[in-house]
Amino acid sequence: MELPTRTFRVTRADLVRYAGASGDFNPIHWSDRTATKVGLPGVIAHGMFTMALVGRAVAEWAGAPDAIVDYNVRFTRPVVVPDDDEGTEIEVSAKVREVTEDGLTRLDVTAVCGGEKVLSQARATVRTAR
């Protein structure tokens, strides 16, 4: 079973807000000059911000944030965020891999930006409502 795709728009303003909340002011998240100097294609979203957006989608599918029992990902590609008003989009989808006898649902999660997967081995386990 596939769960409905959830799309999140990410702009440079989102990165500034996340930097303030997280304390991660690494210039690769706000300066094109620095990002390209270190070999990136441009300013990139914080990995943990990307992971948080995917976690939000999982929580919505599960019906509540506290229904998430386990959640892990590997970062495979950066989410490049252009310096314009549109930003970029991350599309999150998931497939139910297993429903256990003890009421847990295991999900294989996919996050895509610009047609490329940005996470691999993204998996979540959620408590199924009884």
Side-chain angles (χ1 to χ4, degrees), residues 53-101:
L53 292 175
V54 175
R56 182 191 303 174
V58 171
E60 289 175 4
W61 293 322
D66 64 350
I68 300 173
V69 175
D70 187 47
Y71 172 50
N72 54 72
V73 306
R74 287 204 179 156
F75 302 104
T76 54
R77 294 192 190 288
V79 173
V80 179
V81 182
D83 188 13
D84 60 21
D85 293 335
E86 299 301 313
T88 193
E89 289 185 337
I90 300 171
E91 293 182 352
V92 183
S93 59
K95 292 181 181 179
V96 174
R97 180 169 31 114
E98 174 187 19
V99 178
T100 68
E101 289 181 17

